[in-house]
Amino acid sequence: MSTRPEPHPVPGSGPRTVTVPVEGELDHESCEELVRAVTVHLAARPRVGVLRLDCAGMSLCDSMGLSALLQIRRDVDAAGGRLRLDHRPAHLDRLLHLTGTADYLLADRPD
């Protein structure tokens, strides 16, 4: 798995959106890299309103990858932002539904 953080600020004075591409396998060997990249973005941009993980290049997500996504959701919620999992491959949607985590990971943060 590799991440190439590419922040994309949203025009205007409101909160900003940051997109982090996720490529390759999100597994026990690589999940810490993604969590670290998100942590860096949240620390560097405290006004991030939406953090988007672009999953189009994700080839696999195992249980540790799912754990990383759950941790990222908690971190983004704690920072007052919203998490979006964009361009989810079918295997990720299947995993989210099989594990019962789809409602949590794909829902808006309660206000």
Side-chain angles (χ1 to χ4, degrees), residues 66-88:
L66 178 60
S67 178
L69 294 176
L70 292 167
Q71 180 63 53
I72 289 167
R73 171 65 194 251
R74 289 188 295 271
D75 293 346
V76 170
D77 283 354
R82 300 196 185 277
L83 176 66
R84 298 288 183 264
L85 301 179
D86 295 336
H87 309 112
R88 294 182 311 276

Side-chain angles (χ1 to χ4, degrees), residues 37-48:
V38 168
T39 300
V40 166
H41 278 299
L42 293 176
R45 295 170 187 84
R47 293 184 57 223
V48 168

